[in-house]
Amino acid sequence: MSEPLIVFRAVHGRDKQALLKRTLVVECEVQLKDRFKNCFPLIPIALTPEGHLKCQLLETAFLEPLKSGSWTACFVLDNEKYLFEPQLQIHLPFVSLTVPHLFHLQKRKNFRYSLAEEDRGHFVITHHNDHGSAQKCRLLDLSTRGCAIEMPADTAALQVNDRLSGEVLLGHYPPIHIEGLVRNMRQKGLTQMVFGIEFHLKNDEHAINEALTELQKSLHFRRVG
């Protein structure tokens, strides 16, 4: 059974303010993480007029690591997870977190993520019908069940039901080994071909979902930053 992909949905305006106020009512813990995935627990106690989330630092021993770096913060309300990238303002024993953009992390099964040009996704074919290859194709979309790839028509030697092995490359994320079958093909314009690949069940669904989650996070924060 396919595990769900985390899909980012931006929360704006009054909905955002209402969620931040609810963190105060239920006193939910805010998990602050640095780029090394070290976690610093905080308890929200107030929402400032500027919209910052004022929190109490549970352990003052965490103060030194908090003085610099880049951060992500998350909290859970009604079993739903929310994420933002704050700037920190430290006034012992409190830490205020800016909340420039808030995202609701929704779980979707078999979700197909379409990649834009700036996503820089690629599929490198390492074996075609058991023969060695080194063809690099543009990755158009990706899910735990399959993907679509694009390549120049004059170099496209794939046919329906061909067996493929290769690596999915998404930004700086580690390569993900993939095996599957060509299930469909179509021409795109005058010079390109698009092929639909169905993955074998033994592929690493968790690695695919983790890579897509990190890709979405970096793209969303870059676009709104």
Side-chain angles (χ1 to χ4, degrees):
M1 181 180 294
S2 294
E3 64 176 74
L5 171 68
I6 301 300
V7 179
F8 284 54
R9 183 181 71 84
V11 183
H12 302 291
R14 293 180 180 177
D15 291 339
K16 172 182 167 183
Q17 291 301 309
L19 283 169
L20 294 177
K21 288 178 180 178
R22 284 198 59 208
T23 66
L24 310 177
V25 175
V26 302
E27 296 183 345
C28 71
E29 187 174 285
V30 175
Q31 296 288 330
L32 184 68
K33 292 184 179 181
D34 62 17
R35 62 189 180 92
F36 301 108
K37 306 300 183 182
N38 297 314
C39 188
F40 307 93
L42 307 170
I43 295 296
I45 59 174
L47 192 62
T48 71
E50 298 81 15
H52 301 171
L53 196 61
K54 185 177 181 181
C55 302
Q56 185 167 1
L57 186 64
L58 295 184
E59 295 288 342
T60 56
F62 291 152
L63 177 62
E64 284 302 316
L66 288 175
K67 287 187 176 179
S68 62
S70 58
W71 308 95
T72 58
C74 65
F75 59 87
V76 176
L77 285 174
D78 300 327
N79 294 318
E80 297 291 333
K81 190 173 182 179
Y82 298 87
L83 178 76
F84 60 100
E85 278 196 341
Q87 296 293 320
L88 274 56
Q89 299 174 359
I90 301 174
H91 304 284
L92 285 179
F94 307 111
V95 178
S96 290
L97 310 178
T98 64
V99 191
H101 305 284
L102 182 65
F103 293 96
H104 180 194
L105 306 188
Q106 301 176 325
K107 292 183 178 181
R108 304 275 185 87
K109 281 189 175 292
N110 303 325
F111 184 84
R112 185 170 290 272
Y113 184 84
S114 296
L115 285 84
E117 287 280 358
E118 62 267 28
D119 292 349
R120 301 189 183 188
H122 293 92
F123 183 83
V124 179
I125 302 172
T126 56
H127 289 86
H128 174 203
N129 289 334
D130 299 324
H131 298 290
S133 176
Q135 187 166 12
K136 188 175 184 179
C137 319
R138 184 186 166 205
L139 189 65
L140 298 178
D141 62 44
L142 177 66
S143 75
T144 56
R145 297 288 185 87
C147 69
I149 60 175
E150 178 183 330
M151 66 179 69
D154 57 358
T155 63
L158 306 182
Q159 299 295 326
V160 173
N161 292 326
D162 280 1
R163 301 185 308 277
L164 296 180
S165 297
E167 292 183 333
V168 168
L169 307 177
L170 290 172
H172 299 296
Y173 204 81
I176 304 169
H177 178 73
I178 291 296
E179 295 182 13
L181 295 175
V182 178
R183 284 306 191 193
N184 56 73
M185 54 190 292
R186 62 180 173 86
Q187 190 162 344
K188 180 181 179 181
L190 298 177
T191 62
Q192 300 294 109
M193 291 291 295
V194 174
F195 297 89
I197 312 300
E198 180 183 44
F199 293 160
H200 292 164
L201 293 178
K202 64 181 179 180
N203 289 317
D204 192 344
E205 293 184 358
H206 181 71
I208 294 172
N209 279 343
E210 284 231 325
L212 285 175
T213 299
E214 289 300 315
L215 176 66
Q216 288 182 92
K217 184 169 72 174
S218 64
L219 288 173
H220 274 294
F221 284 126
R222 189 172 73 215
R223 285 168 181 164
V224 299

